[in-house]
Amino acid sequence: MSVIMLGLHPNLIQLLESDPEKTHIDAVPVLQRDTEPKHLTTKEVRCSDLVTDSKSLFTFRAQKIRLSKDHEHFEDGDVHRHMYLQDLATSVAEDAQPAKVGEFRCHISGCSQLFDCLEAYEHHYSALHRHVCSTCRRSLPSARLLDIHILEWHDSLFQIMAQKQTMYQCLVEGCDLKFSSRMQRKDHLIKTHSYPADFRFDKTKKNKRVKEKAAARQTNTGMEVCEEEGDEPASAGGTQSEMGVSAETCESMDCSQNPGSGSEGGRTGPEEALTTTCQKPRYAYRVPHSICFGQGAVRGFRGGRRKK
Amino acid sequence: MWRLKTVPHKARLQGSGLEEFKLKRREQERALRQARRDRQLVSKRVLLHEDEDDAFEGEGTMDTCITPTSDQVVKLLHGLQAGGEKRTTLCRELRRALRDLKVQLIFIRLENSMRVVVSLLSGSDAQCRVEAGKCLHTLSHSPHPEVGMTCLLASPYLLTYLSGQSAKFTELCLYTLGNLCPENELVREKLLAQGIIPALHHCLQNHGGNLAVLEAVAFALSQLLQARDAEQKIIPLVLTSGLTSHLMAGLNSDPEYGIGASIECAWCLHYLSCSETDSSVLVNHGALSRCSSLMVTLGGAVAHGESQDGLELLIWPLLRCLGNLLARCDTCEEVGACVNDCRLLAALGVFAQSYLHTHPALGREALWVLNNLTADSVVWCSAVLGSGLVPVLIQLMPFSQGINSMVLRTLGNVAYKGTAFCLQLVEAGVLPALCATLKMADAEVVTLSLEVLHLLVASSPQVAEGFVQLKGVSVLEMMLFNSEEALRLRASYIIDHLPQPGVDGC
């Protein structure tokens, strides 16, 4: 069947072969449009310290696109036409430049590894970033942060001790400072380690679910993830060839020799995280470069997986 | 004049010859790309002469292909000036000699050389006229700007001959003029002043139905329309000249002649539809309805594997014409009157899928047309849902280079219309596909995925619930660690507004 040979979706053939009377646009059952769009609220919502409304946050609008004749999107077609005009056109086989499948990229700031396919990506994520708290099923991107999470959230002793001692650790790997309250730690993270202003810190364990966002300025992002209400698998799958992975990830990170120059990410996009050269340190306290992970994860995350 | 079939004989080269050819071709392609980026993409065409079927430049191994010396050229010129019966023969010799680029330069720099040619062109001897015309044609093909400029001397005659009787000679003059057009602004100004646009129109009226002439006219016109100064000076003239209806008529291809003429007409229409000037002329001549019905026909041909080589050369400009005219039509009624066949959706899907492995940019442009169809139209969005196009779009989502972005925009257009639309999208399986695109490297793709996801989950609790059950939340959670604030904020907003199935206290 020509359908199978061409790899075309059967729906297309079916539609093409339909009776023209039935395919007239007037014959289409028109769905009811919403009178008021539900997704655009000007009602302001407080997302921690940032007051926002979905209308300004989500900027997509359905719109037509006009392309001028010199637009770069028209390049391939124009080149093809001129090849033909200049008698350079040949049969299709020689001309072929097949479409590429998009690459996948690990979203964890500071990691940003690229993968050819979804499986490789999923494997990587399971192996390196899925540190799951067995109590509340939250997923933390590193073992260290999981440790801190468990300590601060599920250890009753911690609460008692915290009243008398400075127990709240700075989330930045290698910074050994401790604070007596979450607020102080938060201030420290913002002032000293340049965490972004929109970084959302703990909220009290009340009804509203709160999300704390990553501070992505440094490679050693300290963060906590708020509750995952879904059924998070208790253990992360996949084995981790730790040395192998570390070599890989170390290479992909800018493990330069200058202390404090390891800052990547920040406002730059994930693409730049891999290739950016040493940037000016954004924070007073420098992360010693020697803290590179012997085992596994990326810079800023302590290696080794927590067993469940 | 339809070329594609003749070229493959070049590819008869075996082994290393073929490799060399491929390499050369790739280099030329690279050069063309660079030229386009520099806004200097210009091409000239050579009309094959019947008595020179092995006359591809650079390949000639004919005995007579010894480059004449400067003296011999001078002798030729004197011979021509002298007149008499030998003129035609001498002219033929000259034409052969002029294939060499150096000889071209020598010749045009000789005193009075071009005047001699022009006088032969305008003379009473018909055969001589043809030979002189061929000389000019060869010269017009030269890459040297100097050479092209001297040909301008002949332009008034070339234009006059467009209304002549001989179709073949007219064709020759047309290609010569077409080659001169891209030279520079001065040349174009002169040609416009000499009335090239009305001349082209009269030519078509005279030689109505002759597809070779139509192809030649449309080629010359496309050269004019592609120019940088076309917007102000040329397009308004063309739109009022009456040429538009001929171009429309020319879109139909003839099975015997092939699609050469249709291709040229389509490219002219593309340049016209890109312009800023009022598109109503085009629409009133039926451009929208013509293009869309042709798309359906061509879509059917491609789908059934009946398409010929080079069909993309026709599909490409038609897609662009359709896309830009849709974008410029202000009212839905305007569109609805002209574009009313749902099979257009199938055609666009067919192009997107079929050309994935050869010309993905064409697929992307087909999806662009789909975006423009659905952006403002509840009806077309409903049609997309009802026609089973969504699974096809989902199949296209893994592909980069702008394909997935355009698919996401289209899905966004549909979701934007409201709850009923979102529900159907979800039923068609969009949510798992979004979970995959959220993990992609391209920031634009991820952003669009978040936008579409937001539209869907905000539309109804069912959808939000469904997403949660798909373990979608963990995908979003990763976003929270992304270094891009814009992505983090969107992801966290969505997470915040998802239902919480039974929290065990926090």
Side-chain angles (χ1 to χ4, degrees):
Chain A
M1 257 204 338
S2 62
V3 172
I4 297 166
M5 273 170 17
L6 291 171
L8 288 176
H9 199 287
N11 289 2
L12 296 173
I13 308 290
Q14 197 180 20
L15 183 55
L16 274 173
E17 290 175 355
S18 303
D19 183 3
E21 268 183 36
K22 297 197 183 123
T23 60
H24 196 278
I25 194 77
D26 292 341
V28 167
V30 179
L31 295 172
Q32 192 71 265
R33 183 177 197 148
D34 283 353
T35 42
E36 256 183 53
K38 290 185 181 164
H39 48 91
L40 295 176
T41 59
T42 42
K43 182 181 93 182
E44 287 178 348
V45 168
R46 209 177 172 83
C47 289
S48 91
D49 298 331
L50 202 65
V51 178
T52 186
D53 62 318
S54 72
K55 193 168 184 184
S56 55
L57 192 52
F58 291 98
T59 52
F60 175 83
R61 304 285 179 265
Q63 44 185 231
K64 297 183 187 181
I65 298 172
R66 286 176 67 164
L67 296 174
S68 72
K69 74 171 193 273
D70 295 314
H71 199 280
E72 58 177 356
H73 280 187
F74 283 161
E75 180 179 299
D76 282 4
D78 284 354
V79 168
H80 190 64
R81 159 160 175 79
H82 281 264
M83 298 274 275
Y84 157 72
L85 287 179
Q86 296 188 17
D87 294 332
L88 294 168
T90 56
S91 63
V92 170
E94 289 177 44
D95 219 64
Q97 288 164 31
K100 298 181 197 140
V101 174
E103 288 178 306
F104 295 88
R105 184 192 291 278
C106 179
H107 280 297
I108 310 292
S109 163
C111 180
S112 301
Q113 272 207 288
L114 285 169
F115 304 94
D116 278 342
C117 68
L118 199 52
E119 287 86 27
Y121 168 96
E122 303 280 19
H123 177 89
H124 162 89
Y125 188 73
S126 298
L128 293 190
H129 303 302
R130 200 185 294 276
H131 303 267
V132 183
C133 171
S134 53
T135 312
C136 66
R137 309 259 190 89
R138 284 184 203 185
S139 188
L140 285 306
S142 80
R144 171 193 160 82
L145 294 169
L146 180 61
D147 287 346
I148 295 178
H149 160 83
I150 292 172
L151 198 61
E152 293 181 10
W153 290 68
H154 303 304
D155 186 338
S156 40
L157 198 57
F158 179 87
Q159 301 301 330
I160 297 168
M161 289 174 69
Q163 288 164 15
K164 301 179 194 154
Q165 304 168 29
T166 57
M167 294 289 288
Y168 291 92
Q169 308 171 50
C170 174
L171 301 179
V172 174
E173 175 103 16
C175 176
D176 293 329
L177 298 175
K178 293 192 183 175
F179 303 87
S180 50
S181 78
R182 284 204 175 100
M183 276 305 300
Q184 287 182 10
R185 174 181 58 197
K186 168 184 173 175
D187 280 342
H188 164 79
L189 283 168
I190 290 180
K191 288 199 190 104
T192 310
H193 299 298
S194 302
Y195 270 40
D198 66 311
F199 182 79
R200 299 196 304 180
F201 297 83
D202 304 324
K203 275 201 185 165
T204 51
K205 300 174 188 179
K206 289 289 185 184
N207 33 24
K208 265 220 177 123
R209 74 184 297 161
V210 167
K211 285 304 175 176
E212 302 185 62
K213 290 196 296 257
R217 300 282 182 130
Q218 292 84 241
T219 55
N220 46 334
T221 45
M223 56 206 73
E224 299 196 34
V225 184
C226 206
E227 292 193 54
E228 161 51 32
E229 269 76 38
D231 295 303
E232 200 56 57
S235 59
T239 51
Q240 179 185 359
S241 67
E242 294 177 330
M243 290 314 291
V245 173
S246 79
E248 209 182 319
T249 50
C250 262
E251 233 170 46
S252 68
M253 306 310 287
D254 183 21
C255 279
S256 62
Q257 293 309 302
N258 301 330
S261 58
S263 162
E264 301 176 34
R267 294 286 172 181
T268 57
E271 293 80 17
E272 294 176 44
L274 282 176
T275 55
T276 197
T277 49
C278 307
Q279 294 179 359
K280 239 172 54 174
R282 295 177 192 254
Y283 41 90
Y285 186 91
R286 280 115 181 257
V287 177
H289 73 281
S290 54
I291 314 264
C292 197
F293 318 85
Q295 306 189 334
V298 293
R299 186 163 182 174
F301 294 89
R302 188 168 47 142
R305 280 171 47 208
R306 267 297 187 205
K307 290 228 172 84
K308 293 237 42 344
Chain B
M1 191 44 188
W2 168 236
R3 287 282 190 159
L4 210 55
K5 288 191 198 104
T6 62
V7 173
H9 92 252
K10 233 175 187 169
R12 252 191 266 132
L13 305 162
Q14 297 297 323
S16 65
L18 183 60
E19 275 312 306
E20 250 180 69
F21 172 68
K22 276 190 185 176
L23 205 67
K24 185 176 174 224
R25 199 172 159 278
R26 238 170 276 153
E27 270 172 36
Q28 281 165 324
E29 185 186 330
R30 222 172 295 148
L32 285 175
R33 276 190 198 279
Q34 190 53 53
R36 190 185 186 275
R37 285 169 201 168
D38 298 334
R39 307 275 188 104
Q40 309 255 12
L41 186 55
V42 146
S43 294
K44 302 187 176 202
R45 297 196 91 176
V46 176
L47 190 58
L48 287 175
H49 305 300
E50 290 101 41
D51 55 328
E52 292 177 42
D53 55 340
D54 54 349
F56 288 109
E57 291 171 41
E59 272 183 29
T61 45
M62 296 186 339
D63 297 333
T64 49
C65 198
I66 307 163
T67 317
T69 61
S70 189
D71 288 335
Q72 285 171 315
V73 177
V74 174
K75 225 176 134 200
L76 265 174
L77 180 59
H78 287 327
L80 285 167
Q81 275 171 318
E85 283 171 9
K86 289 181 95 184
R87 279 180 311 174
T88 313
T89 326
L90 287 173
C91 224
R92 203 169 290 143
E93 257 186 68
L94 177 63
R95 191 234 307 161
R96 286 202 198 104
L98 285 173
R99 286 205 310 259
D100 184 295
L101 297 180
K102 286 194 222 82
V103 173
Q104 287 177 2
L105 282 170
I106 295 172
F107 181 76
I108 59 159
R109 287 170 183 163
L110 293 174
E111 203 178 322
N112 282 330
S113 53
M114 284 313 285
R115 287 193 194 283
V116 171
V117 175
V118 173
S119 69
L120 290 170
L121 180 71
S122 54
S124 47
D125 184 334
Q127 267 204 304
C128 234
R129 276 206 295 272
V130 172
E131 288 302 328
K134 288 182 179 177
C135 288
L136 276 167
H137 181 68
T138 309
L139 285 170
S140 77
H141 195 254
S142 168
H144 284 295
E146 199 184 327
V147 177
M149 290 301 290
T150 59
C151 291
L152 214 51
L153 262 173
S155 63
Y157 298 100
L158 293 172
L159 286 170
T160 315
Y161 290 136
L162 295 191
S163 313
Q165 293 307 311
S166 159
K168 276 216 95 61
F169 190 54
T170 303
E171 204 187 336
L172 181 68
C173 295
L174 283 164
Y175 280 108
T176 308
L177 286 164
N179 285 343
L180 292 177
C181 290
E183 282 295 348
N184 59 51
E185 212 175 313
L186 287 165
V187 169
R188 284 191 291 276
E189 260 179 43
K190 198 145 195 216
L191 289 172
L192 286 170
Q194 288 170 352
I196 186 171
I197 309 268
L200 290 174
H201 186 220
H202 288 139
C203 179
L204 284 181
Q205 287 175 319
N206 264 358
H207 293 277
N210 186 319
L211 290 173
V213 172
L214 175 60
E215 184 177 351
V217 168
F219 166 72
L221 190 59
S222 74
Q223 298 280 75
L224 281 173
L225 291 170
Q226 208 198 330
R228 263 188 259 202
D229 45 335
E231 184 69 43
Q232 286 88 30
K233 301 185 189 165
I234 301 175
I235 291 184
L237 285 175
V238 174
L239 287 173
T240 50
S241 66
L243 277 165
T244 318
S245 47
H246 288 278
L247 292 173
M248 297 294 215
L251 290 179
N252 288 329
S253 49
D254 180 274
E256 254 190 62
Y257 184 79
I259 55 178
S262 316
I263 291 177
E264 298 308 314
C265 292
W267 281 93
C268 286
L269 287 169
H270 156 53
Y271 296 129
L272 287 171
S273 61
C274 280
S275 108
E276 294 294 316
T277 47
D278 185 19
S279 60
S280 57
V281 175
L282 287 171
V283 176
N284 291 338
H285 275 104
L288 263 179
S289 49
R290 216 45 196 291
C291 286
S292 68
S293 59
L294 255 174
M295 293 273 86
V296 173
T297 314
L298 293 172
V302 172
H304 291 102
E306 289 157 7
S307 63
Q308 46 201 192
D309 268 353
L311 197 64
E312 74 280 355
L313 288 161
L314 178 57
I315 296 175
W316 230 315
L318 288 175
L319 279 173
R320 294 175 178 190
C321 198
L322 196 53
N324 270 327
L325 287 178
L326 282 172
R328 293 166 63 192
C329 274
D330 286 321
T331 61
C332 285
E333 288 75 44
E334 235 185 321
V335 174
C338 309
V339 185
N340 52 28
D341 189 343
C342 291
R343 290 177 300 171
L344 175 62
L345 295 173
L348 295 173
V350 166
F351 298 143
Q353 280 202 320
S354 307
Y355 286 101
L356 263 182
H357 303 291
T358 48
H359 301 288
L362 194 153
R364 179 183 65 212
E365 291 184 34
L367 294 167
W368 163 60
V369 175
L370 190 59
N371 172 80
N372 285 359
L373 258 181
T374 51
D376 286 346
S377 168
V378 175
V379 178
W380 279 103
C381 286
S382 307
V384 165
L385 291 170
S387 64
L389 199 66
V390 179
V392 183
L393 293 175
I394 291 177
Q395 273 186 357
L396 291 166
M397 271 160 86
F399 296 98
S400 61
Q401 297 164 299
I403 290 178
N404 41 19
S405 305
M406 216 40 96
V407 170
L408 286 165
R409 282 184 196 282
T410 304
L411 294 174
N413 291 348
V414 178
Y416 202 82
K417 304 295 181 282
T419 314
F421 297 82
C422 291
L423 286 172
Q424 285 207 20
L425 280 173
V426 169
E427 236 180 83
V430 164
L431 285 179
L434 283 176
C435 288
T437 53
L438 280 171
K439 298 167 183 168
M440 285 187 145
D442 184 334
E444 191 195 7
V445 172
V446 177
T447 308
L448 283 168
S449 306
L450 285 168
E451 295 275 355
V452 177
L453 183 62
H454 166 64
L455 288 169
L456 293 173
V457 300
S459 71
S460 82
Q462 279 162 268
V463 177
E465 184 62 51
F467 180 69
V468 170
Q469 288 187 353
L470 273 177
K471 311 273 197 301
V473 183
S474 59
V475 179
L476 289 177
E477 278 181 348
M478 292 180 305
M479 293 276 138
L480 301 181
F481 303 121
N482 195 293
S483 49
E484 283 291 323
E485 180 183 18
L487 293 175
R488 290 202 305 271
L489 288 175
R490 285 183 175 89
S492 61
Y493 184 97
I494 298 176
I495 294 177
D496 279 355
H497 291 79
L498 286 173
Q500 312 172 31
V503 172
D504 50 317
C506 156

